[in-house]
Amino acid sequence: MARAATTSDAFNAIAEPRRRDILTYLAIRERQVGEIVTAVGIDQPSVSKHLGVLRRVGLVHVRRNGRHRLYRTNAEAIRPLHEWTASFEPYWQHALLRVKQRAEAKMKSKSESDRNTYKEKP
Amino acid sequence: MARAATTSDAFNAIAEPRRRDILTYLAIRERQVGEIVTAVGIDQPSVSKHLGVLRRVGLVHVRRNGRHRLYRTNAEAIRPLHEWTASFEPYWQHALLRVKQRAEAKMKSKSESDRNTYKEKP
DNA sequence: AAATTACATTCCTATATAGGAATATGTCAA
DNA sequence: TTGACATATTCCTATATAGGAATGTAATTT
């Protein structure tokens, strides 16, 4: 079987770097396609196609205004991705915690006299 | 041009749902391939191939132990994804705020009887 | 050494791109 | 109406899968 469609879900849609650029650009406020073209630096048909993918998975909203179309990032649709990645947060060590653990490991193997000593780099 | 390789970066690697399942399973502690096969419910060659992709982008670590290979999620490699999604956090409404806004909207149009109702999935 | 166990890799195929080029559609302006 | 402008869509092609089947490889046991 081939890879899943980019329109199957947000995870597939954001795999493409240009689409991430577009989402970042459209997060602050809505923009018309021409602005996206100059901002992201790819040609108009490509931008329209990427916008189509993003729209189909709900990552952007569109609004018509005359002959322009105003796109805006739907930040809510990024929340599930954020929550998935956040589920791994307990497993990565913050720099401070790592230092502490290293210090504690050292305490076990040596004396306890300097229990409160923090060594930045051994 | 075709789509970027799944091994090009973590964003592409996690586009595949089974790989996300594997990452979640391997986050808590290291497991041998056989355990992953039974846990995730796909056949062994597929699991090995997914593990290969995850390893190439650094999302898992491997360790050999006899005839077993012990895989473990490298949570650090998920941090960049987390940070990218977090950059959109200012643009979505926090749950508490949403509840408050919904409650206020409801107060205007209806009664206050169900103000504390919370819907987990909209 | 042979058999077994645990994984990885190769081969094959249907499918879904993503970009470029060309064209179509829709809207405003003169 | 005609033309200009803004955006979407279609057509074409090279490429990268992901799954299934079969096979290869390394370590352990008998």
Side-chain angles (χ1 to χ4, degrees):
Chain A
M1 201 187 286
R3 214 194 305 187
T6 52
T7 55
S8 59
D9 59 24
F11 282 97
N12 278 280
I14 66 160
E16 165 63 41
R18 265 66 187 284
R19 285 199 282 265
R20 293 200 298 277
D21 292 345
I22 292 173
L23 287 173
T24 297
Y25 183 62
L26 296 177
I28 303 171
R29 59 181 174 85
E30 64 183 5
R31 299 279 195 175
Q32 48 192 62
V33 178
E35 293 178 297
I36 305 171
V37 169
T38 59
V40 182
I42 55 183
D43 58 8
Q44 178 267 314
S46 288
V47 168
S48 281
K49 277 183 273 190
H50 284 313
L51 288 171
V53 170
L54 293 172
R55 185 170 37 74
R56 266 169 245 134
V57 300
L59 280 167
V60 296
H61 287 148
V62 211
R63 182 168 77 84
R64 305 183 68 151
N65 184 17
R67 51 182 153 181
H68 302 286
R69 297 208 187 180
L70 299 169
Y71 284 84
R72 189 175 56 79
T73 296
N74 176 22
E76 279 290 339
I78 298 177
R79 283 190 74 160
L81 314 182
H82 184 72
E83 279 156 18
W84 185 79
T85 58
S87 71
F88 294 89
E89 200 166 6
Y91 303 107
W92 67 61
Q93 309 274 18
H94 290 283
L96 224 63
L97 180 58
R98 270 210 306 285
V99 169
K100 183 163 173 271
Q101 287 178 333
R102 199 148 46 203
E104 286 170 353
K106 193 163 283 182
M107 277 190 286
K108 277 187 189 159
S109 58
K110 298 173 69 182
S111 79
E112 290 187 29
S113 61
D114 53 355
R115 182 183 291 173
N116 296 318
T117 301
Y118 267 64
K119 281 234 165 68
E120 185 56 41
K121 282 254 176 176
Chain B
M1 202 188 285
R3 214 195 306 190
T6 52
T7 57
S8 59
D9 60 24
F11 282 98
N12 278 280
I14 66 160
E16 165 64 43
R18 263 68 188 283
R19 286 199 282 266
R20 293 200 297 276
D21 292 345
I22 292 174
L23 286 173
T24 298
Y25 182 62
L26 295 177
I28 301 171
R29 59 182 175 84
E30 63 182 7
R31 300 281 195 173
Q32 47 193 61
V33 178
E35 292 177 296
I36 306 171
V37 169
T38 59
V40 182
I42 55 183
D43 59 7
Q44 178 268 312
S46 288
V47 169
S48 281
K49 277 183 275 189
H50 285 313
L51 288 171
V53 170
L54 294 172
R55 185 169 38 73
R56 266 169 247 134
V57 299
L59 280 166
V60 296
H61 287 150
V62 210
R63 181 169 78 84
R64 304 183 68 149
N65 184 15
R67 53 182 151 180
H68 302 288
R69 299 207 185 182
L70 299 168
Y71 284 85
R72 189 175 56 80
T73 295
N74 175 23
E76 279 290 339
I78 298 177
R79 283 189 75 160
L81 313 182
H82 183 71
E83 280 156 19
W84 184 79
T85 58
S87 71
F88 293 89
E89 201 166 7
Y91 304 107
W92 67 61
Q93 311 274 20
H94 290 282
L96 223 61
L97 181 58
R98 268 211 312 286
V99 169
K100 185 165 172 270
Q101 288 177 333
R102 199 147 46 203
E104 286 170 354
K106 193 163 283 182
M107 277 189 287
K108 278 185 190 161
S109 58
K110 299 173 68 182
S111 78
E112 294 185 28
S113 61
D114 53 355
R115 181 189 291 175
N116 296 319
T117 301
Y118 191 90
K119 283 236 164 63
E120 185 57 42
K121 290 238 178 178

